[in-house]
Protein backbone atom coordinates (compact mmCIF):
# COMPACT_ATOMS: atom_id res chain seq x y z
CA UNK A 1 0.00 0.00 0.00
CA UNK A 2 1.25 3.45 -0.75
CA UNK A 3 1.61 5.96 2.02
CA UNK A 4 -1.94 7.34 1.76
CA UNK A 5 -2.00 8.22 5.46
CA UNK A 6 1.03 10.52 5.26
CA UNK A 7 3.03 8.54 7.85
CA UNK A 8 6.64 9.56 8.58
CA UNK A 9 9.37 8.09 6.36
CA UNK A 10 9.97 4.43 7.16
CA UNK A 11 13.38 3.22 8.32
CA UNK A 12 13.04 -0.12 10.10
CA UNK A 13 12.55 -3.73 9.05
CA UNK A 14 9.28 -4.37 10.92
CA UNK A 15 7.81 -0.92 10.22
CA UNK A 16 6.10 -1.94 6.98
CA UNK A 17 3.92 -4.41 8.88
CA UNK A 18 2.96 -1.72 11.40
CA UNK A 19 2.08 0.65 8.58
CA UNK A 20 -0.09 -1.91 6.84
CA UNK A 21 -1.82 -2.64 10.17
CA UNK A 22 -2.48 1.08 10.65
CA UNK A 23 -3.79 1.23 7.05
CA UNK A 24 -6.16 -1.73 7.57
CA UNK A 25 -7.39 -0.22 10.85
CA UNK A 26 -8.39 2.90 8.95
CA UNK A 27 -10.17 0.85 6.28
CA UNK A 28 -12.13 -1.11 8.93
CA UNK A 29 -12.95 2.04 10.88
CA UNK A 30 -14.19 3.67 7.66
CA UNK A 31 -16.48 0.67 7.05
CA UNK A 32 -17.79 0.91 10.63
CA UNK A 33 -18.23 4.66 10.31
CA UNK A 34 -20.22 4.36 7.08
CA UNK A 35 -22.27 1.44 8.48
CA UNK A 36 -23.18 3.09 11.77
CA UNK A 37 -23.66 6.48 10.14
CA UNK A 38 -26.09 4.92 7.66
CA UNK A 39 -27.94 3.14 10.49
CA UNK A 40 -28.23 6.42 12.39
CA UNK A 41 -29.75 8.20 9.36
CA UNK A 42 -32.13 5.27 8.80
CA UNK A 43 -33.32 5.45 12.44
CA UNK A 44 -33.83 9.21 12.31
CA UNK A 45 -36.04 8.82 9.23
CA UNK A 46 -37.76 5.55 10.16
CA UNK A 47 -38.72 6.62 13.70
CA UNK A 48 -39.60 10.25 12.93
CA UNK A 49 -42.48 11.72 14.92
CA UNK A 50 -44.94 11.98 12.04
CA UNK A 51 -44.65 8.25 11.49
CA UNK A 52 -44.36 7.15 15.15
CA UNK A 53 -46.44 9.66 17.11
CA UNK A 54 -46.66 7.42 20.21
CA UNK A 55 -43.72 5.75 21.90
CA UNK A 56 -43.72 1.97 21.82
CA UNK A 57 -42.85 0.77 25.31
CA UNK A 58 -42.45 -2.90 24.34
CA UNK A 59 -39.62 -2.14 21.94
CA UNK A 60 -37.95 -4.75 19.77
CA UNK A 61 -39.17 -8.29 20.37
CA UNK A 62 -37.04 -10.19 17.83
CA UNK A 63 -33.95 -11.94 19.31
CA UNK A 64 -31.80 -10.80 16.34
CA UNK A 65 -29.97 -8.13 18.31
CA UNK A 66 -29.12 -10.58 21.10
CA UNK A 67 -27.58 -13.04 18.61
CA UNK A 68 -25.66 -10.33 16.79
CA UNK A 69 -24.20 -9.14 20.12
CA UNK A 70 -23.04 -12.70 20.86
CA UNK A 71 -21.57 -12.99 17.35
CA UNK A 72 -19.63 -9.72 17.85
CA UNK A 73 -18.22 -10.98 21.18
CA UNK A 74 -17.14 -14.28 19.58
CA UNK A 75 -15.48 -12.53 16.61
CA UNK A 76 -13.65 -10.16 18.93
CA UNK A 77 -12.40 -13.07 21.03
CA UNK A 78 -11.10 -14.75 17.86
CA UNK A 79 -9.30 -11.54 16.81
CA UNK A 80 -7.78 -11.13 20.28
CA UNK A 81 -6.68 -14.72 20.97
CA UNK A 82 -6.14 -15.87 17.38
CA UNK A 83 -4.33 -12.83 16.01
CA UNK A 84 -3.50 -10.01 18.42
CA UNK A 85 -1.82 -12.03 21.20
CA UNK A 86 0.24 -14.31 18.86
CA UNK A 87 1.39 -11.29 16.78
CA UNK A 88 2.36 -9.43 19.95
CA UNK A 89 4.27 -12.47 21.22
CA UNK A 90 6.14 -12.87 17.93
CA UNK A 91 6.99 -9.19 17.53
CA UNK A 92 7.63 -8.06 21.10
CA UNK A 93 8.51 -11.06 23.26
CA UNK A 94 10.71 -12.91 20.82
CA UNK A 95 13.96 -10.96 21.08
CA UNK A 96 16.79 -11.65 18.65
CA UNK A 97 19.68 -13.48 20.40
CA UNK A 98 21.86 -10.97 22.25
CA UNK A 99 25.06 -12.11 20.49
CA UNK A 100 23.61 -11.18 17.08
CA UNK A 101 22.31 -7.84 18.24
CA UNK A 102 23.76 -4.58 19.45
CA UNK A 103 22.57 -4.15 23.02
CA UNK A 104 22.46 -0.60 24.30
CA UNK A 105 21.00 0.88 27.46
CA UNK A 106 19.00 4.07 27.23
CA UNK A 107 18.08 5.78 30.50
CA UNK A 108 15.60 8.62 30.51
CA UNK A 109 15.83 11.43 33.02
CA UNK A 110 14.28 14.86 33.32
CA UNK A 111 15.06 15.94 30.57
CA UNK A 112 17.61 13.94 28.67
CA UNK A 113 18.47 10.52 27.29
CA UNK A 114 21.58 8.80 28.65
CA UNK A 115 23.01 6.22 26.29
CA UNK A 116 25.29 3.44 27.54
CA UNK A 117 27.17 1.01 25.26
CA UNK A 118 28.81 -2.06 26.85
CA UNK A 119 31.81 -1.78 24.50
CA UNK A 120 33.74 -4.66 22.89
CA UNK A 121 33.37 -7.00 25.92
CA UNK A 122 29.55 -6.77 25.60
CA UNK A 123 29.23 -6.43 29.37
CA UNK A 124 27.75 -3.33 30.92
CA UNK A 125 30.00 -1.95 33.62
CA UNK A 126 28.81 -1.54 37.19
CA UNK A 127 26.92 1.61 38.03
CA UNK A 128 26.62 3.06 41.49
CA UNK A 129 24.33 5.80 42.62
CA UNK A 130 27.13 7.16 44.88
CA UNK A 131 29.23 7.93 41.79
CA UNK A 132 26.42 9.75 40.09
CA UNK A 133 27.28 13.26 39.02
CA UNK A 134 24.83 15.07 36.77
CA UNK A 135 27.58 16.83 34.85
CA UNK A 136 30.47 14.37 34.60
CA UNK A 137 28.92 10.97 35.24
CA UNK A 138 25.15 11.03 34.80
CA UNK A 139 24.86 7.24 34.89
CA UNK A 140 27.13 6.72 37.91
CA UNK A 141 29.38 4.42 35.91
CA UNK A 142 32.17 2.87 37.98
CA UNK A 143 35.28 3.14 35.78
CA UNK A 144 37.25 0.99 38.22
CA UNK A 145 35.10 -2.02 37.33
CA UNK A 146 36.96 -4.05 34.63
CA UNK A 147 33.71 -4.44 32.65
CA UNK A 148 33.26 -0.67 32.63
CA UNK A 149 36.71 0.11 31.18
CA UNK A 150 35.51 -0.24 27.59
CA UNK A 151 32.04 1.20 28.10
CA UNK A 152 30.95 4.24 26.13
CA UNK A 153 28.32 6.70 27.29
CA UNK A 154 26.75 9.60 25.45
CA UNK A 155 24.12 12.20 26.17
CA UNK A 156 21.19 12.52 23.76
CA UNK A 157 23.19 10.86 20.98
CA UNK A 158 22.32 7.32 20.00
CA UNK A 159 24.56 5.91 17.28
CA UNK A 160 23.38 2.71 15.62
CA UNK A 161 24.61 0.47 12.81
CA UNK A 162 22.15 -0.17 9.97
CA UNK A 163 20.78 -3.62 9.14
CA UNK A 164 21.61 -5.18 12.49
CA UNK A 165 19.11 -6.02 15.24
CA UNK A 166 19.25 -3.42 18.00
CA UNK A 167 18.07 -4.20 21.51
CA UNK A 168 17.44 -1.07 23.51
CA UNK A 169 17.14 -1.66 27.25
CA UNK A 170 15.02 1.19 28.48
CA UNK A 171 15.30 2.60 31.97
CA UNK A 172 14.30 5.74 33.78
CA UNK A 173 15.93 7.61 36.64
CA UNK A 174 12.92 9.56 37.79
CA UNK A 175 9.48 9.55 36.17
CA UNK A 176 7.84 7.74 33.28
CA UNK A 177 9.31 8.75 29.93
CA UNK A 178 8.68 7.23 26.54
CA UNK A 179 11.22 6.35 23.89
CA UNK A 180 9.67 7.12 20.52
CA UNK A 181 11.39 7.16 17.15
CA UNK A 182 8.64 7.62 14.56
CA UNK A 183 10.74 6.49 11.55
CA UNK A 184 11.49 3.18 13.27
CA UNK A 185 7.84 2.70 14.27
CA UNK A 186 9.03 2.17 17.83
CA UNK A 187 7.55 3.59 21.00
CA UNK A 188 7.91 2.27 24.51
CA UNK A 189 7.51 3.75 27.96
CA UNK A 190 10.55 3.88 30.22
CA UNK A 191 9.43 3.16 33.76
CA UNK A 192 11.48 3.81 36.90
CA UNK A 193 12.53 0.56 38.55
CA UNK A 194 12.12 -1.51 35.40
CA UNK A 195 14.40 -2.40 32.51
CA UNK A 196 12.23 -2.80 29.43
CA UNK A 197 13.81 -4.20 26.28
CA UNK A 198 12.61 -3.26 22.80
CA UNK A 199 14.14 -4.31 19.53
CA UNK A 200 14.16 -3.22 15.90
CA UNK A 201 16.38 -3.27 12.82
CA UNK A 202 17.16 0.16 11.38
CA UNK A 203 17.39 -0.11 7.61
CA UNK A 204 18.19 3.39 6.37
CA UNK A 205 21.30 5.31 7.35
CA UNK A 206 21.00 8.97 8.26
CA UNK A 207 23.06 9.87 5.16
CA UNK A 208 20.75 7.87 2.91
CA UNK A 209 17.68 9.43 4.53
CA UNK A 210 19.13 12.90 3.86
CA UNK A 211 19.34 12.19 0.14
CA UNK A 212 15.95 10.47 0.16
CA UNK A 213 14.14 13.33 1.85
CA UNK A 214 16.17 16.03 0.12
CA UNK A 215 16.80 17.55 3.54
CA UNK A 216 20.55 17.84 4.24
CA UNK A 217 19.81 18.44 7.93
CA UNK A 218 17.58 15.41 8.46
CA UNK A 219 18.03 13.77 11.88
CA UNK A 220 16.24 10.84 13.45
CA UNK A 221 14.86 12.14 16.70
CA UNK A 222 14.04 10.39 19.96
CA UNK A 223 10.96 12.21 21.09
CA UNK A 224 9.91 11.69 24.68
CA UNK A 225 6.31 10.57 24.20
CA UNK A 226 5.11 10.93 27.79
CA UNK A 227 4.46 14.29 29.38
CA UNK A 228 7.23 14.03 31.97
CA UNK A 229 7.51 17.50 33.46
CA UNK A 230 8.01 21.15 32.61
CA UNK A 231 11.01 20.49 30.34
CA UNK A 232 9.30 17.65 28.46
CA UNK A 233 9.25 19.66 25.22
CA UNK A 234 13.05 19.84 25.15
CA UNK A 235 13.66 16.17 25.95
CA UNK A 236 15.03 15.38 22.51
CA UNK A 237 17.64 12.85 21.60
CA UNK A 238 19.12 12.16 18.21
CA UNK A 239 19.74 8.88 16.47
CA UNK A 240 22.50 8.59 13.90
CA UNK A 241 22.28 5.46 11.79
CA UNK A 242 25.53 4.54 10.07
CA UNK A 243 26.91 1.65 8.08
CA UNK A 244 28.42 -1.11 10.22
CA UNK A 245 31.98 0.05 9.41
CA UNK A 246 31.24 3.69 10.20
CA UNK A 247 29.60 2.67 13.45
CA UNK A 248 32.56 0.52 14.54
CA UNK A 249 34.88 3.42 13.80
CA UNK A 250 32.70 5.84 15.75
CA UNK A 251 32.61 3.46 18.72
CA UNK A 252 36.38 2.94 18.65
CA UNK A 253 37.05 6.70 18.44
CA UNK A 254 34.61 7.41 21.25
CA UNK A 255 36.14 4.67 23.38
CA UNK A 256 39.64 6.07 22.86
CA UNK A 257 38.35 9.50 23.84
CA UNK A 258 36.43 8.37 26.93
CA UNK A 259 38.99 5.93 28.33
CA UNK A 260 41.85 8.45 27.97
CA UNK A 261 42.85 10.02 31.29
CA UNK A 262 41.23 13.40 31.76
CA UNK A 263 43.94 16.12 31.59
CA UNK A 264 41.76 18.53 33.56
CA UNK A 265 41.65 16.41 36.68
CU1 LIG B 1 10.50 12.56 29.20
Amino acid sequence: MTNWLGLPALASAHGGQIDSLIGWMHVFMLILFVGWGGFFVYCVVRFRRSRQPVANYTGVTSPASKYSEIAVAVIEAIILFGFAIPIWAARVDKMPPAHEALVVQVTGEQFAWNVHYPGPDRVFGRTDIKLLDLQSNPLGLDRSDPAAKDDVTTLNQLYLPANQPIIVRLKSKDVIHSFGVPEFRVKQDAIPGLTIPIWFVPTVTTAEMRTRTGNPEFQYEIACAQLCGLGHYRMRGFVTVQTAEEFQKWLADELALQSAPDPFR
Side-chain angles (χ1 to χ4, degrees), residues 36 63-75:
W36 283 113
S65 67
K66 187 169 98 188
Y67 293 133
S68 60
E69 293 281 352
I70 293 172
V72 167
V74 169
I75 292 167

PDB file of all heavy atoms in Angstrom, residues 36 63-75:
ATOM      1  N   TRP A  36     -22.441   2.510  10.647  1.00  0.00           N
ATOM      2  CA  TRP A  36     -23.184   3.087  11.774  1.00  0.00           C
ATOM      3  C   TRP A  36     -23.805   4.417  11.411  1.00  0.00           C
ATOM      4  O   TRP A  36     -24.912   4.734  11.854  1.00  0.00           O
ATOM      5  CB  TRP A  36     -22.288   3.237  12.994  1.00  0.00           C
ATOM      6  CG  TRP A  36     -22.038   1.942  13.706  1.00  0.00           C
ATOM      7  CD1 TRP A  36     -20.866   1.281  13.811  1.00  0.00           C
ATOM      8  CD2 TRP A  36     -23.017   1.148  14.401  1.00  0.00           C
ATOM      9  NE1 TRP A  36     -21.040   0.123  14.517  1.00  0.00           N
ATOM     10  CE2 TRP A  36     -22.342   0.007  14.895  1.00  0.00           C
ATOM     11  CE3 TRP A  36     -24.385   1.285  14.636  1.00  0.00           C
ATOM     12  CZ2 TRP A  36     -22.983  -0.993  15.625  1.00  0.00           C
ATOM     13  CZ3 TRP A  36     -25.027   0.286  15.362  1.00  0.00           C
ATOM     14  CH2 TRP A  36     -24.336  -0.833  15.846  1.00  0.00           C
ATOM     15  N   PRO A  63     -35.209 -11.673  18.606  1.00  0.00           N
ATOM     16  CA  PRO A  63     -33.947 -11.941  19.309  1.00  0.00           C
ATOM     17  C   PRO A  63     -32.719 -11.616  18.453  1.00  0.00           C
ATOM     18  O   PRO A  63     -31.593 -11.877  18.867  1.00  0.00           O
ATOM     19  CB  PRO A  63     -34.032 -13.443  19.581  1.00  0.00           C
ATOM     20  CG  PRO A  63     -34.888 -13.988  18.477  1.00  0.00           C
ATOM     21  CD  PRO A  63     -35.811 -12.886  18.036  1.00  0.00           C
ATOM     22  N   ALA A  64     -32.918 -11.034  17.263  1.00  0.00           N
ATOM     23  CA  ALA A  64     -31.801 -10.802  16.336  1.00  0.00           C
ATOM     24  C   ALA A  64     -30.670 -10.007  16.982  1.00  0.00           C
ATOM     25  O   ALA A  64     -29.495 -10.340  16.819  1.00  0.00           O
ATOM     26  CB  ALA A  64     -32.303 -10.080  15.086  1.00  0.00           C
ATOM     27  N   SER A  65     -31.034  -8.967  17.769  1.00  0.00           N
ATOM     28  CA  SER A  65     -29.967  -8.127  18.314  1.00  0.00           C
ATOM     29  C   SER A  65     -29.145  -8.899  19.345  1.00  0.00           C
ATOM     30  O   SER A  65     -27.928  -8.744  19.432  1.00  0.00           O
ATOM     31  CB  SER A  65     -30.550  -6.850  18.917  1.00  0.00           C
ATOM     32  OG  SER A  65     -31.326  -7.162  20.049  1.00  0.00           O
ATOM     33  N   LYS A  66     -29.840  -9.785  20.115  1.00  0.00           N
ATOM     34  CA  LYS A  66     -29.122 -10.582  21.100  1.00  0.00           C
ATOM     35  C   LYS A  66     -28.083 -11.461  20.403  1.00  0.00           C
ATOM     36  O   LYS A  66     -26.906 -11.512  20.800  1.00  0.00           O
ATOM     37  CB  LYS A  66     -30.098 -11.443  21.903  1.00  0.00           C
ATOM     38  CG  LYS A  66     -29.433 -12.167  23.059  1.00  0.00           C
ATOM     39  CD  LYS A  66     -30.431 -12.792  24.002  1.00  0.00           C
ATOM     40  CE  LYS A  66     -30.601 -14.268  23.699  1.00  0.00           C
ATOM     41  NZ  LYS A  66     -31.692 -14.875  24.475  1.00  0.00           N
ATOM     42  N   TYR A  67     -28.511 -12.141  19.315  1.00  0.00           N
ATOM     43  CA  TYR A  67     -27.579 -13.038  18.615  1.00  0.00           C
ATOM     44  C   TYR A  67     -26.442 -12.271  17.956  1.00  0.00           C
ATOM     45  O   TYR A  67     -25.292 -12.716  17.939  1.00  0.00           O
ATOM     46  CB  TYR A  67     -28.330 -13.897  17.594  1.00  0.00           C
ATOM     47  CG  TYR A  67     -29.266 -14.871  18.263  1.00  0.00           C
ATOM     48  CD1 TYR A  67     -30.584 -15.028  17.837  1.00  0.00           C
ATOM     49  CD2 TYR A  67     -28.822 -15.630  19.359  1.00  0.00           C
ATOM     50  CE1 TYR A  67     -31.439 -15.906  18.467  1.00  0.00           C
ATOM     51  CE2 TYR A  67     -29.678 -16.507  20.001  1.00  0.00           C
ATOM     52  CZ  TYR A  67     -30.996 -16.645  19.560  1.00  0.00           C
ATOM     53  OH  TYR A  67     -31.828 -17.507  20.197  1.00  0.00           O
ATOM     54  N   SER A  68     -26.758 -11.071  17.426  1.00  0.00           N
ATOM     55  CA  SER A  68     -25.663 -10.333  16.786  1.00  0.00           C
ATOM     56  C   SER A  68     -24.656  -9.854  17.823  1.00  0.00           C
ATOM     57  O   SER A  68     -23.459  -9.828  17.573  1.00  0.00           O
ATOM     58  CB  SER A  68     -26.197  -9.183  15.920  1.00  0.00           C
ATOM     59  OG  SER A  68     -26.926  -8.304  16.718  1.00  0.00           O
ATOM     60  N   GLU A  69     -25.135  -9.524  19.040  1.00  0.00           N
ATOM     61  CA  GLU A  69     -24.195  -9.143  20.120  1.00  0.00           C
ATOM     62  C   GLU A  69     -23.270 -10.317  20.454  1.00  0.00           C
ATOM     63  O   GLU A  69     -22.062 -10.143  20.629  1.00  0.00           O
ATOM     64  CB  GLU A  69     -24.966  -8.748  21.397  1.00  0.00           C
ATOM     65  CG  GLU A  69     -25.783  -7.475  21.288  1.00  0.00           C
ATOM     66  CD  GLU A  69     -24.946  -6.217  21.427  1.00  0.00           C
ATOM     67  OE1 GLU A  69     -23.761  -6.340  21.758  1.00  0.00           O
ATOM     68  OE2 GLU A  69     -25.490  -5.126  21.183  1.00  0.00           O
ATOM     69  N   ILE A  70     -23.853 -11.512  20.541  1.00  0.00           N
ATOM     70  CA  ILE A  70     -23.044 -12.700  20.860  1.00  0.00           C
ATOM     71  C   ILE A  70     -22.025 -12.929  19.741  1.00  0.00           C
ATOM     72  O   ILE A  70     -20.847 -13.181  20.000  1.00  0.00           O
ATOM     73  CB  ILE A  70     -23.944 -13.935  21.076  1.00  0.00           C
ATOM     74  CG1 ILE A  70     -24.790 -13.738  22.344  1.00  0.00           C
ATOM     75  CG2 ILE A  70     -23.105 -15.213  21.186  1.00  0.00           C
ATOM     76  CD1 ILE A  70     -25.858 -14.789  22.577  1.00  0.00           C
ATOM     77  N   ALA A  71     -22.471 -12.786  18.490  1.00  0.00           N
ATOM     78  CA  ALA A  71     -21.566 -12.986  17.352  1.00  0.00           C
ATOM     79  C   ALA A  71     -20.401 -11.995  17.423  1.00  0.00           C
ATOM     80  O   ALA A  71     -19.242 -12.368  17.206  1.00  0.00           O
ATOM     81  CB  ALA A  71     -22.329 -12.827  16.037  1.00  0.00           C
ATOM     82  N   VAL A  72     -20.693 -10.731  17.755  1.00  0.00           N
ATOM     83  CA  VAL A  72     -19.628  -9.724  17.851  1.00  0.00           C
ATOM     84  C   VAL A  72     -18.620 -10.118  18.926  1.00  0.00           C
ATOM     85  O   VAL A  72     -17.406 -10.072  18.723  1.00  0.00           O
ATOM     86  CB  VAL A  72     -20.231  -8.319  18.142  1.00  0.00           C
ATOM     87  CG1 VAL A  72     -19.143  -7.343  18.557  1.00  0.00           C
ATOM     88  CG2 VAL A  72     -20.979  -7.796  16.925  1.00  0.00           C
ATOM     89  N   ALA A  73     -19.123 -10.582  20.085  1.00  0.00           N
ATOM     90  CA  ALA A  73     -18.222 -10.977  21.178  1.00  0.00           C
ATOM     91  C   ALA A  73     -17.336 -12.140  20.739  1.00  0.00           C
ATOM     92  O   ALA A  73     -16.133 -12.159  21.019  1.00  0.00           O
ATOM     93  CB  ALA A  73     -19.034 -11.357  22.412  1.00  0.00           C
ATOM     94  N   VAL A  74     -17.924 -13.117  20.027  1.00  0.00           N
ATOM     95  CA  VAL A  74     -17.143 -14.282  19.582  1.00  0.00           C
ATOM     96  C   VAL A  74     -16.068 -13.837  18.582  1.00  0.00           C
ATOM     97  O   VAL A  74     -14.893 -14.216  18.698  1.00  0.00           O
ATOM     98  CB  VAL A  74     -18.079 -15.352  18.964  1.00  0.00           C
ATOM     99  CG1 VAL A  74     -17.265 -16.438  18.256  1.00  0.00           C
ATOM    100  CG2 VAL A  74     -18.960 -15.972  20.038  1.00  0.00           C
ATOM    101  N   ILE A  75     -16.456 -12.991  17.611  1.00  0.00           N
ATOM    102  CA  ILE A  75     -15.482 -12.534  16.608  1.00  0.00           C
ATOM    103  C   ILE A  75     -14.349 -11.760  17.276  1.00  0.00           C
ATOM    104  O   ILE A  75     -13.171 -11.945  16.967  1.00  0.00           O
ATOM    105  CB  ILE A  75     -16.184 -11.671  15.527  1.00  0.00           C
ATOM    106  CG1 ILE A  75     -17.123 -12.554  14.684  1.00  0.00           C
ATOM    107  CG2 ILE A  75     -15.155 -10.990  14.616  1.00  0.00           C
ATOM    108  CD1 ILE A  75     -18.077 -11.774  13.803  1.00  0.00           C
TER     109      ILE A  75
END
